[in-house]
Amino acid sequence: IKNLNIQGTENMVFEDHGLISTVEGVGLSGTAAIIDHVTLKSGTKTTKSGLVGATMTTNPYAAASGGFVTYITNCVVEEGCIIGVNGDQDKIGGIAGRLICEIDNCEVSATVKGKNFVGGILATCDNAMGPAGVTNSAFHGTVISTGRNAGGIVGGGYENETAPNGMRIKLENNTVDGTVKGVKNVGGIQGGDEFVAQSWGATSVINNTFTGKVEGTENVGAIIGFYDSLNKFNNVSGNLYAADCGADKGIGAVKYIDTNYA
């Protein structure tokens, strides 16, 4: 899907995601979809995420297998769009909801509303072992969450406690100058990762910049709100945040730290 403008009218609400209603593929591998240069125009409203998301059906853990990946590049959600218009849905993202995906060079200026797992770009990953990453992207809008895991780029990591050794979401070279409002696990870049207790795969949160405002009640960080653990496979480095952003530290809280490694 390439070179497409999506325009809603004043009294119209997309009763799903703005572009693709669901990505499903248990047992499949390869490319699920390629979305490039798609713009959600100002005034558009969606009930779910901006462009795409996944819904679990035949499998209780994921909508798609870890190798069934959606690639999203050069997409824009303009100011004046409202994503998750009713604010009563989980897994709402400005670009993507629950999804195995690689997102690069995208920009969101919308208001993004939901309960749990709400992200300016991506809500959460769909599969504990599938790739999920956001790179070279920007969020200028407002994230409003009434629950847990809210972030300027990503809401939260994989949502199921059955995968304590799963992958984390890659976050590299992203910028946020918008506002993130949540309750628990609130971060300028990522809200939280509640269930990865000892990651076995290398992931990076590097060279991200937060100059917006963040606010919440519990576990609030300028870069990351909450991590269940940190170990040698987590590269969290080179991230910058403004001193007056609303959080007094880069990571709000970490439950477990592997002290055998620096």
Side-chain angles (χ1 to χ4, degrees):
I1 302 171
K2 188 171 184 177
N3 299 328
L4 179 67
N5 289 330
I6 301 170
Q7 177 69 70
T9 61
E10 181 178 355
N11 297 317
M12 170 185 168
V13 176
F14 288 91
E15 295 297 337
D16 209 311
H17 305 102
L19 181 64
I20 298 175
S21 63
T22 185
V23 175
E24 298 177 23
V26 176
L28 299 181
S29 62
T31 300
I34 298 173
I35 303 170
D36 181 56
H37 283 96
V38 173
T39 297
L40 209 60
K41 303 295 290 183
S42 181
T44 303
K45 303 179 183 71
T46 65
T47 299
K48 297 182 180 178
S49 297
L51 296 181
V52 60
T55 303
M56 293 188 298
T57 53
T58 62
N59 188 297
Y61 303 108
S65 297
F68 199 49
V69 184
T70 298
Y71 298 92
I72 305 172
T73 54
N74 308 308
C75 291
V76 174
V77 179
E78 293 184 345
E79 183 179 3
C81 292
I82 303 177
I83 309 303
V85 64
N86 298 320
D88 59 355
Q89 302 278 319
D90 291 334
K91 307 176 193 69
I92 299 296
I95 295 287
R98 178 192 182 108
L99 199 62
I100 301 167
C101 61
E102 296 283 355
I103 299 175
D104 183 65
N105 195 36
C106 291
E107 186 173 7
V108 175
S109 302
T111 297
V112 183
K113 301 164 63 178
K115 293 165 59 179
N116 304 306
F117 294 89
V118 185
I121 303 290
L122 171 68
T124 184
C125 50
D126 175 50
N127 190 302
M129 302 311 296
V134 183
T135 56
N136 307 307
S137 296
F139 181 72
H140 312 297
T142 300
V143 168
I144 303 172
S145 164
T146 57
R148 70 189 202 283
N149 300 322
I153 298 294
V154 169
Y158 182 66
E159 65 166 346
N160 197 297
E161 62 185 354
T162 61
N165 307 117
M167 299 289 290
R168 284 220 161 94
I169 297 174
K170 177 177 69 175
L171 295 164
E172 298 182 359
N173 304 310
N174 300 295
T175 61
V176 175
D177 57 18
T179 299
V180 183
K181 299 178 180 180
V183 179
K184 181 178 180 180
N185 305 341
V186 186
I189 302 298
Q190 177 170 345
D193 194 324
E194 298 176 294
F195 301 119
V196 175
Q198 189 77 298
S199 177
W200 289 351
T203 52
S204 56
V205 179
I206 61 173
N207 302 329
N208 301 286
T209 301
F210 180 66
T211 57
K213 299 295 183 182
V214 61
E215 61 180 76
T217 302
E218 183 179 353
N219 304 334
V220 181
I223 303 299
I224 298 166
F226 175 80
Y227 261 7
D228 197 53
S229 73
L230 283 171
N231 69 0
K232 68 174 184 175
F233 292 114
N234 300 127
N235 180 10
V236 182
S237 63
N239 302 290
L240 302 175
Y241 61 90
D244 62 350
C245 70
D248 58 4
K249 48 191 173 183
I251 301 177
V254 179
K255 187 175 181 180
Y256 301 112
I257 297 178
D258 189 339
T259 57
N260 291 312
Y261 298 91

